[in-house]
mmCIF file of all heavy atoms in Angstrom:
data_model
loop_
_atom_site.group_PDB
_atom_site.id
_atom_site.type_symbol
_atom_site.label_atom_id
_atom_site.label_comp_id
_atom_site.label_asym_id
_atom_site.label_seq_id
_atom_site.Cartn_x
_atom_site.Cartn_y
_atom_site.Cartn_z
ATOM 1 N N VAL A 125 25.838 -19.396 -5.261
ATOM 2 C CA VAL A 125 26.859 -18.489 -5.883
ATOM 3 C C VAL A 125 26.238 -17.500 -6.835
ATOM 4 O O VAL A 125 25.620 -17.858 -7.815
ATOM 5 C CB VAL A 125 27.891 -19.364 -6.649
ATOM 6 C CG1 VAL A 125 28.898 -18.477 -7.327
ATOM 7 C CG2 VAL A 125 28.553 -20.379 -5.780
ATOM 8 N N GLU A 126 26.388 -16.191 -6.410
ATOM 9 C CA GLU A 126 25.772 -15.171 -7.259
ATOM 10 C C GLU A 126 26.713 -14.738 -8.385
ATOM 11 O O GLU A 126 27.934 -14.877 -8.190
ATOM 12 C CB GLU A 126 25.384 -13.912 -6.404
ATOM 13 C CG GLU A 126 24.417 -14.173 -5.340
ATOM 14 C CD GLU A 126 25.120 -14.396 -3.969
ATOM 15 O OE1 GLU A 126 26.353 -14.819 -4.011
ATOM 16 O OE2 GLU A 126 24.436 -14.201 -2.917
ATOM 17 N N SER A 127 26.147 -14.214 -9.405
ATOM 18 C CA SER A 127 26.953 -13.644 -10.505
ATOM 19 C C SER A 127 26.127 -12.563 -11.242
ATOM 20 O O SER A 127 24.967 -12.520 -11.001
ATOM 21 C CB SER A 127 27.436 -14.728 -11.521
ATOM 22 O OG SER A 127 26.249 -15.335 -12.059
ATOM 23 N N GLY A 128 26.814 -11.816 -12.091
ATOM 24 C CA GLY A 128 26.150 -10.903 -12.865
ATOM 25 C C GLY A 128 26.179 -9.368 -12.438
ATOM 26 O O GLY A 128 25.680 -8.589 -13.186
ATOM 27 N N GLY A 129 26.833 -9.137 -11.310
ATOM 28 C CA GLY A 129 27.004 -7.857 -10.892
ATOM 29 C C GLY A 129 27.900 -6.991 -11.818
ATOM 30 O O GLY A 129 28.660 -7.617 -12.611
ATOM 31 N N GLY A 130 27.927 -5.656 -11.584
ATOM 32 C CA GLY A 130 28.824 -4.802 -12.394
ATOM 33 C C GLY A 130 28.429 -3.407 -12.336
ATOM 34 O O GLY A 130 27.459 -3.061 -11.501
ATOM 35 N N LEU A 131 28.987 -2.664 -13.215
ATOM 36 C CA LEU A 131 28.716 -1.183 -13.292
ATOM 37 C C LEU A 131 27.762 -0.926 -14.356
ATOM 38 O O LEU A 131 27.890 -1.416 -15.551
ATOM 39 C CB LEU A 131 30.030 -0.411 -13.576
ATOM 40 C CG LEU A 131 29.952 1.105 -13.811
ATOM 41 C CD1 LEU A 131 29.350 1.785 -12.595
ATOM 42 C CD2 LEU A 131 31.281 1.631 -14.213
ATOM 43 N N VAL A 132 26.639 -0.195 -14.116
ATOM 44 C CA VAL A 132 25.629 0.089 -15.119
ATOM 45 C C VAL A 132 25.226 1.551 -14.926
ATOM 46 O O VAL A 132 25.263 2.135 -13.807
ATOM 47 C CB VAL A 132 24.467 -0.858 -14.971
ATOM 48 C CG1 VAL A 132 23.796 -0.790 -13.578
ATOM 49 C CG2 VAL A 132 23.459 -0.686 -16.008
ATOM 50 N N LYS A 133 24.808 2.129 -15.922
ATOM 51 C CA LYS A 133 24.360 3.587 -15.973
ATOM 52 C C LYS A 133 22.880 3.666 -15.454
ATOM 53 O O LYS A 133 22.174 2.707 -15.631
ATOM 54 C CB LYS A 133 24.501 4.188 -17.303
ATOM 55 C CG LYS A 133 25.952 4.460 -17.821
ATOM 56 C CD LYS A 133 25.983 5.102 -19.189
ATOM 57 C CE LYS A 133 27.326 5.673 -19.499
ATOM 58 N NZ LYS A 133 28.429 4.706 -19.401
ATOM 59 N N PRO A 134 22.562 4.706 -14.884
ATOM 60 C CA PRO A 134 21.153 4.912 -14.405
ATOM 61 C C PRO A 134 20.251 4.753 -15.606
ATOM 62 O O PRO A 134 20.544 5.249 -16.781
ATOM 63 C CB PRO A 134 21.216 6.417 -13.965
ATOM 64 C CG PRO A 134 22.537 6.613 -13.505
ATOM 65 C CD PRO A 134 23.397 5.882 -14.466
ATOM 66 N N GLY A 135 19.154 4.112 -15.378
ATOM 67 C CA GLY A 135 18.234 3.716 -16.504
ATOM 68 C C GLY A 135 18.512 2.384 -17.142
ATOM 69 O O GLY A 135 17.663 1.902 -17.948
ATOM 70 N N GLY A 136 19.679 1.837 -16.895
ATOM 71 C CA GLY A 136 20.117 0.654 -17.566
ATOM 72 C C GLY A 136 19.540 -0.530 -16.818
ATOM 73 O O GLY A 136 18.673 -0.516 -15.862
ATOM 74 N N SER A 137 19.885 -1.734 -17.399
ATOM 75 C CA SER A 137 19.416 -3.058 -16.909
ATOM 76 C C SER A 137 20.549 -3.908 -16.558
ATOM 77 O O SER A 137 21.650 -3.797 -17.111
ATOM 78 C CB SER A 137 18.543 -3.730 -17.951
ATOM 79 O OG SER A 137 17.389 -2.930 -18.245
ATOM 80 N N LEU A 138 20.247 -4.981 -15.728
ATOM 81 C CA LEU A 138 21.290 -5.836 -15.293
ATOM 82 C C LEU A 138 20.491 -7.171 -14.915
ATOM 83 O O LEU A 138 19.433 -7.047 -14.358
ATOM 84 C CB LEU A 138 22.107 -5.388 -14.237
ATOM 85 C CG LEU A 138 23.586 -5.869 -14.047
ATOM 86 C CD1 LEU A 138 24.316 -5.594 -15.295
ATOM 87 C CD2 LEU A 138 24.183 -5.212 -12.812
ATOM 88 N N ARG A 139 21.098 -8.291 -15.152
ATOM 89 C CA ARG A 139 20.494 -9.564 -14.656
ATOM 90 C C ARG A 139 21.409 -10.303 -13.850
ATOM 91 O O ARG A 139 22.492 -10.668 -14.182
ATOM 92 C CB ARG A 139 20.140 -10.458 -15.927
ATOM 93 C CG ARG A 139 19.281 -11.698 -15.562
ATOM 94 C CD ARG A 139 18.897 -12.468 -16.780
ATOM 95 N NE ARG A 139 18.088 -13.660 -16.476
ATOM 96 C CZ ARG A 139 16.717 -13.600 -16.355
ATOM 97 N NH1 ARG A 139 16.132 -12.542 -16.558
ATOM 98 N NH2 ARG A 139 16.057 -14.720 -16.059
#
Side-chain angles (χ1 to χ4, degrees):
Chain A
V125 180
E126 301 95 338
S127 60
L131 176 63
V132 61
K133 288 182 168 54
S137 298
L138 208 58
R139 187 177 183 87

